[in-house]
């Protein structure tokens, strides 16, 4: 049953029009948005979400916006059990996480699977901004000959990543490091075959660092937020970093992988850098 249908005898037709019908399901948690006009009914809305999703045990509402260096958001429980930790399954990978202390978007699951599908045999891969570990663990699951390093600043996210590493038995392929990529990556002394940069708001600040640690003809996956008529500007950000490092984009593609507001897309620039 749909949420609107479940609430048709509880909310007025005006209120039903204001209801945001979609919600994300992370493990056994549903995460929804309650417009201010409906706040007085938030527990009823939460109960309705519980009643139509038998495997959901916790309903939380977004209480603010994604913010700060860790890109996290405050959540308020509106129905169900009083906890914020859950276990999410993504294409066979188990992810323990708390969506309030760690950035995680279920909506990026297909994009992570797309990247995992691009990996060639024996690659050495860097995931900057690895969070609770979804990219490295998904890549490892589907590419047994590659090795991956993930670097994450948020210590809660890193702690979940270490737990997820064990749970998914990926210790031989994946290493998670805690800290700022600007401090950690230059000391690794490695040139990677592929570098993934899933921090759309500010990843451009890290492009020179990524290029310095990417082997010639290696692949860069640079995420950015961009309006529909300006996708080329994101590729231009990559191009602009090249001359001073004596590099060049030899092949590229732009992939739409989500939305961030009505006119803004989350895109990935896949670029082979010579
Ligand atoms: C948009 S989240 C992506 C997390 C994860 N890759 C995922 O897909 O769920 C970006 C992550 O980058 C981390 N971060 C931000 N600045 C960083 C830095 N300078 N060094 C390492 N990690 C950083 C944040 O804490 C956050 O977990």
């Amino acid at each position: 049953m749909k949420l609107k249908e479940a609430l048709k005898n509880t909310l007025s037709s005006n209120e039903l029009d204001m209801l945001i019908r979609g919600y994300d399901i992370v493990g056994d948690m549903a995460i929804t948005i309650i417009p201010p006009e409906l706040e007085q009914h938030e527990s009823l809305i939460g109960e309705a979400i519980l009643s139509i999703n038998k495997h959901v045990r916790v309903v939380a509402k977004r209480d603010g916006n994604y913010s700060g260096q860790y890109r996290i958001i405050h959540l308020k429980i509106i129905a169900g059990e009083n906890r914020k930790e859950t276990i999410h399954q993504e294409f066979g990978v188990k992810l323990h996480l708390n969506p309030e202390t760690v950035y995680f978007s279920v909506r990026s699951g297909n994009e992570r699977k797309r990247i995992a599908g691009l990996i060639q045999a024996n690659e050495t891969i860097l995931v900057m901004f690895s969070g609770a570990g979804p990219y490295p663990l998904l890549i490892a699951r589907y590419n047994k000959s590659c090795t991956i390093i993930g670097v994450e600043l948020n210590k809660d996210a890193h702690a979940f990543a270490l737990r997820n590493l064990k749970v998914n038995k990926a210790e031989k392929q994946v290493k998670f490091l805690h800290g700022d990529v600007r401090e950690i990556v230059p000391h690794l002394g490695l040139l990677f075959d592929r570098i993934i940069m899933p921090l759309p708001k500010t990843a451009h600040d890290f492009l020179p660092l990524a290029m310095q640690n990417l082997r010639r003809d290696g692949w860069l996956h640079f995420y950015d937020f961009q309006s529909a008529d300006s996708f080329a500007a994101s590729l231009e950000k990559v191009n602009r970093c090249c001359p001073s490092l004596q590099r060049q984009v030899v092949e590229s593609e732009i992939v739409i992988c989500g939305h961030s507001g009505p006119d803004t897309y989350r895109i990935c620039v896949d670029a082979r850098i010579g």
Side-chain angles (χ1 to χ4, degrees):
M1 196 202 288
K2 296 268 163 55
L3 185 57
K4 216 169 171 176
E5 173 82 7
L7 287 162
K8 71 171 189 245
N9 297 326
T10 316
L11 301 184
S12 69
S13 64
N14 252 356
E15 289 169 335
L16 286 172
D17 285 344
M18 284 185 274
L19 189 67
I20 305 212
R21 283 168 282 174
Y23 42 87
D24 287 339
I25 298 200
V26 184
D28 64 357
M29 283 179 79
I31 303 177
T32 186
I33 298 174
I34 307 277
E37 300 85 350
L38 297 184
E39 260 168 23
Q40 57 192 341
H41 302 303
E42 64 188 26
S43 17
L44 284 174
I45 298 170
E47 291 299 332
I49 293 176
L50 280 180
S51 73
I52 57 181
N53 294 280
K54 293 297 168 213
H55 63 290
V56 168
R57 297 271 174 274
V58 182
V59 183
K61 72 163 185 177
R62 285 191 192 185
D63 195 11
N65 290 311
Y66 287 95
S67 63
Q69 255 188 318
Y70 299 164
R71 310 304 307 145
I72 50 182
I73 187 164
H74 189 246
L75 298 176
K76 182 185 172 204
I77 308 259
I78 56 170
E81 295 172 21
N82 185 23
R83 64 171 158 85
K84 292 178 180 167
E85 209 177 300
T86 190
I87 308 169
H88 184 73
Q89 290 258 13
E90 185 170 282
F91 298 109
V93 171
K94 259 191 188 163
L95 297 164
H96 289 250
L97 57 102
N98 175 335
E100 182 174 63
T101 61
V102 172
Y103 176 92
F104 181 75
S105 170
V106 283
R107 297 179 195 198
S108 297
N110 286 327
E111 170 58 12
R112 288 187 275 266
K113 186 75 165 52
R114 179 186 77 86
I115 296 286
L118 298 175
I119 313 297
Q120 304 292 307
N122 302 311
E123 284 192 11
T124 303
I125 300 158
L126 172 65
V127 178
M128 289 180 157
F129 328 120
S130 45
Y135 274 96
L137 295 171
L138 201 70
I139 291 171
R141 183 175 166 91
Y142 292 96
N143 303 277
K144 293 297 176 201
S145 65
C146 70
T147 51
I148 308 130
I149 293 181
V151 183
E152 170 57 48
L153 187 63
N154 174 352
K155 80 171 172 15
D156 285 347
H158 175 67
F160 278 116
L162 293 180
R163 193 156 145 198
N164 294 329
L165 181 67
K166 269 197 187 159
V167 169
N168 292 283
K169 302 186 174 61
E171 294 97 326
K172 286 200 182 123
Q173 279 182 273
V174 181
K175 196 168 176 182
F176 286 117
L177 302 173
H178 173 228
D180 191 319
V181 290
R182 284 173 286 223
E183 280 156 30
I184 291 190
V185 174
H187 294 113
L188 293 174
L190 290 171
L191 281 180
F192 293 91
D193 298 307
R194 189 179 298 270
I195 299 185
I196 301 161
M197 307 177 71
L199 180 65
K201 218 169 163 121
T202 52
H204 53 266
D205 292 339
F206 300 87
L207 278 168
L209 174 67
M211 273 192 205
Q212 281 158 350
N213 291 275
L214 185 71
R215 74 156 166 82
R216 289 227 176 250
D217 281 334
W219 281 95
L220 203 64
H221 301 283
F222 163 63
Y223 289 88
D224 205 7
F225 291 132
Q226 199 57 265
S227 55
D229 53 356
S230 307
F231 287 177
S234 295
L235 176 58
E236 198 38 42
K237 290 180 188 176
V238 180
N239 272 318
R240 266 205 305 273
C241 286
C242 289
S244 62
L245 298 166
Q246 280 102 48
R247 306 294 295 260
Q248 56 180 326
V249 175
V250 289
E251 190 181 341
S252 68
E253 193 181 342
I254 293 178
V255 178
I256 298 178
C257 40
H259 282 272
S260 161
D263 298 321
T264 311
Y265 292 86
R266 183 178 195 268
I267 62 168
C268 184
V269 178
D270 294 350
R272 192 156 63 88
I273 310 291

